[in-house]
Amino acid sequence: MTGADHDRPAAEGIAPGHFPGPSVQAGHVEPAPRRVRALLGGEWVCDSTRALYVWEHPYYPQLYLPAADVATRLLVDDDRTETTDQGEVALRTLRAGGCERPGGARLLTAPTDPTLADTYRFEWSALDHWFEEDEEIFVHPRNPFVRVDALRSSRPVRVELGGTVLALAPGCVVVFETGLPPRYYLEKTAIDWRRLEATDSVTECPYKGTTTRWWTARVGDVVAEDVAWGYDFPTRQVQPIAGLVAFDDEQVDLVVGDTEPRRG
């Protein structure tokens, strides 16, 4: 597993209103006040303090950068165009430092929003590294309207799979992230490790960092693939979850305090 699959913006089985939804709608545009830079093959492809956030869908934005802030010498015209929700775009291939990324850049030539005229939108994975100011960012731009809090809680948590207890914790750290269900991170000593098997999965989150480990749970013939994960070295914003483990409550029954189980 790669990407940020445990950070899905909507969770089946979670009642509407259980957590805040997206704060903006698709098509929204806002200025990005941060310096944005990106590298490919050791060369700077863009460097801008005038980037724009564009929400192509409600959950997080993409960055559109003025052509004047892009190293256009690294771009080769693909002689192809596409129609997007933001308007007509001309595709470009990125060539830098011996790397080539066909279609990695899109120049917006006929925008539906005039503020986006002559801006470039890069495929995130086409670049080696992205930075906001001097901090590297991963997966996608951070949403300026998203808040992420990691709060210690004395609410007990019980995790079950097929009626068997996988974890029983007297407390937890709850991560509240706008647009996502709360996630409950537990001490490793609260987990029945006889039921879990480490996997090779790795995921990244722009707000929490890169996972250190994922686990699959087995109870008899019941298997929950990549049901638990942990961050040993999370970002400083969610430092309280370091070394703890969370479970995907879409695959297990999770009881918090005296509430009913949240069932997958």
Side-chain angles (χ1 to χ4, degrees):
M1 181 186 297
T2 58
D5 295 319
H6 61 296
D7 287 341
R8 289 179 291 271
E12 295 180 5
I14 304 299
H18 186 80
F19 56 92
S23 54
V24 298
Q25 298 300 310
H28 189 66
V29 177
E30 290 279 1
R34 310 172 186 194
R35 183 186 186 188
V36 175
R37 292 180 289 171
L39 278 169
L40 176 63
E43 297 197 52
W44 292 106
V45 174
C46 59
D47 185 347
S48 181
T49 57
R50 302 179 298 164
L52 294 168
Y53 290 123
V54 179
W55 277 260
E56 296 175 354
H57 55 73
Y59 304 112
Y60 57 84
Q62 292 293 343
L63 290 166
Y64 283 61
L65 300 110
D69 297 341
V70 172
T72 53
R73 61 182 176 82
L74 303 177
L75 303 179
V76 178
D77 191 345
D78 286 356
D79 197 25
R80 290 189 295 139
T81 61
E82 289 183 356
T83 301
T84 71
D85 289 342
Q86 282 66 48
E88 294 292 322
V89 298
L91 275 66
R92 303 283 192 267
T93 289
L94 279 162
R95 289 179 182 169
C99 301
E100 184 168 311
R101 303 286 188 269
R106 297 181 177 191
L107 173 64
L108 197 52
T109 56
T112 55
D113 184 335
T115 61
L116 299 178
D118 294 320
T119 59
Y120 278 93
R121 194 274 210 198
F122 293 95
E123 292 299 323
W124 194 263
S125 60
L127 282 300
D128 293 336
H129 304 279
W130 286 87
F131 298 86
E132 287 181 347
E133 298 298 338
D134 291 342
E135 288 197 7
E136 188 167 3
I137 53 175
F138 304 93
V139 185
H140 59 71
R142 293 170 178 165
N143 188 336
F145 298 126
V146 164
R147 182 183 178 102
V148 182
D149 294 303
L151 306 181
R152 291 184 295 275
S153 175
S154 59
R155 288 193 287 169
V157 176
R158 186 173 77 253
V159 181
E160 297 182 1
L161 178 64
T164 296
V165 175
L166 299 180
L168 187 61
C172 59
V173 172
V174 191
V175 172
F176 298 98
E177 183 174 336
T178 306
L180 293 173
R183 298 299 191 189
Y184 300 87
Y185 284 77
L186 314 179
E187 295 284 355
K188 290 180 178 177
T189 52
I191 296 169
D192 183 354
W193 290 102
R194 298 172 299 175
R195 308 292 184 183
L196 298 185
E197 304 170 0
T199 74
D200 294 328
S201 297
V202 176
T203 57
E204 293 179 318
C205 170
Y207 309 104
K208 296 185 286 294
T210 302
T211 53
T212 308
R213 189 66 62 85
W214 279 79
W215 294 271
T216 287
R218 296 181 184 274
V219 175
D221 294 332
V222 180
V223 179
E225 298 283 351
D226 283 317
V227 71
W229 64 89
Y231 296 86
D232 285 350
F233 308 101
T235 61
R236 66 182 183 278
Q237 292 87 348
V238 291
Q239 191 60 37
I241 70 172
L244 306 185
V245 176
F247 285 83
D248 180 1
D249 54 25
E250 296 175 52
Q251 298 191 68
V252 297
D253 294 334
L254 191 148
V255 182
V256 181
D258 297 326
T259 64
E260 291 299 316
R262 292 173 60 180
R263 300 181 181 277

